[in-house]
Amino acid sequence: MAEKQLGSSVKQRPSQCTRLLVAAIDFGTVYSGYAYSFKAEWPTVMTNKWSGGDLLSYKTPSALLLNPDQSFNSFGFDAEKKYSSLTEDGKDCRKYFFFQRFKMILKSSLEKRVHRKTQCIAENGESVDAMKVFTHCINHMRKHLLEDLENRTTAKITMDDIDFVLTVPAIWDDTAKMFMREAAVQAGIKSDQLLIALEPESASIYCQLMHLESTDNKRFFLAGKESGAKYMVLDLGGNRMTIKAE
């Protein structure tokens, strides 16, 4: 029954994706993650589960650890665990660069604009180019996505098979969006395969289409089916809340 409904939904609203699948990266202030769906079965959205000890989560902390030479060491739960171990041992921990809650330096105020020389301050007090920090994070999630696809499918999927969506806060200006695009390109995502989307807009579109995923429409708010339906999206982020009504 579920497969029959899924096929009907795909025919009702065929995917506009030009490649095999669409992958979305949510780079959050506190937590980050990604999700994806295949063109042939686009209503079925798949997400990765990150492991943090005994905890399994759809998101991982937006934490980055760089080696003393500023090369990549780890991201997410792994970065927090390794940095905690370094500080406990007390061995050269200040030589490493640990970052967390750094996303909003791209728009710390409505007036301030980001630029290529914008710096991120690590826990050791040293500064690193923000472009390098953001590129490391996006590159890690890109590689993690490819590994997840390899483990889940038998087909050989490459970067050329994927359209990417990178979500950003609604308050970000064009310079912050351009900064994220450049960081994504440096992380290995081609510009013509990348869409920058506003976080509340993306959530709103999902609310309009979410009934296509369900095998029991009664459990879902049918924003896309009910004439005159209204709904509100509350995006509760790490340091601010965005409200969108439709």
Side-chain angles (χ1 to χ4, degrees):
M1 177 65 181
E3 292 182 0
K4 183 178 180 181
Q5 180 175 355
L6 177 61
S8 174
S9 298
V10 172
K11 290 179 181 178
Q12 178 185 350
R13 289 179 178 266
S15 172
Q16 298 181 24
C17 176
T18 59
R19 293 179 172 83
L20 183 62
L21 70 150
V22 175
I25 296 176
D26 176 18
F27 193 161
T29 303
V30 182
Y31 292 96
S32 296
Y34 61 82
Y36 58 90
S37 65
F38 287 89
K39 179 178 181 178
E41 299 179 349
W42 68 264
T44 302
V45 179
M46 288 168 278
T47 55
N48 175 68
K49 289 185 179 179
W50 305 82
S51 177
D54 296 331
L55 174 68
L56 285 178
S57 172
Y58 291 116
K59 295 288 187 70
T60 191
S62 299
L64 174 69
L65 180 64
L66 300 182
N67 295 314
D69 63 354
Q70 297 187 11
S71 61
F72 179 82
N73 181 293
S74 51
F75 180 80
F77 288 116
D78 289 340
E80 289 187 338
K81 182 178 179 180
K82 289 183 180 181
Y83 185 68
S84 176
S85 178
L86 285 170
T87 56
E88 288 176 1
D89 293 342
K91 296 180 180 179
D92 301 324
C93 66
R94 292 190 61 82
K95 293 182 179 180
Y96 288 79
F97 300 85
F98 181 71
F99 304 89
Q100 58 184 351
R101 293 178 177 266
F102 55 88
K103 171 185 172 182
M104 293 310 295
I105 67 163
L106 298 192
K107 196 59 180 174
S108 55
S109 69
L110 292 177
E111 295 80 20
K112 189 174 181 179
R113 289 178 177 267
V114 68
H115 50 80
R116 287 189 176 89
K117 294 185 178 180
T118 297
Q119 301 286 297
C120 283
I121 307 300
E123 291 295 315
N124 62 5
E126 300 291 333
S127 62
V128 177
D129 287 346
M131 182 64 70
K132 177 178 289 188
V133 173
F134 280 78
T135 297
H136 276 309
C137 296
I138 297 173
N139 188 45
H140 174 75
M141 285 190 279
R142 178 189 68 84
K143 289 182 176 180
H144 201 285
L145 164 69
L146 292 175
E147 292 173 1
D148 187 59
L149 287 169
E150 184 176 354
N151 293 332
R152 290 202 193 197
T153 65
T154 56
K156 177 63 176 178
I157 298 175
T158 68
M159 286 292 294
D160 291 334
D161 297 318
I162 308 172
D163 277 328
F164 283 87
V165 177
L166 183 59
T167 58
V168 299
I171 66 166
W172 279 15
D173 57 24
D174 289 342
T175 56
K177 295 173 188 175
M178 289 172 62
F179 184 97
M180 288 298 287
R181 175 175 288 276
E182 186 170 333
V185 169
Q186 290 192 21
I189 301 174
K190 295 179 181 178
S191 185
D192 63 351
Q193 292 177 232
L194 176 64
L195 174 68
I196 303 295
L198 300 180
E199 292 166 351
E201 292 286 351
S202 301
S204 178
I205 291 172
Y206 178 72
C207 287
Q208 294 174 30
L209 301 176
M210 63 191 298
H211 65 277
L212 296 177
E213 285 188 84
S214 174
T215 57
D216 179 11
N217 282 343
K218 293 180 181 179
R219 295 184 302 158
F220 283 77
F221 171 66
L222 306 184
K225 283 189 174 181
E226 295 180 357
S227 177
K230 297 179 177 64
Y231 61 95
M232 180 180 293
V233 176
L234 279 73
D235 181 5
L236 305 178
N239 64 344
R240 67 185 67 235
M241 178 177 70
T242 304
I243 301 175
K244 180 176 178 59
E246 292 282 359

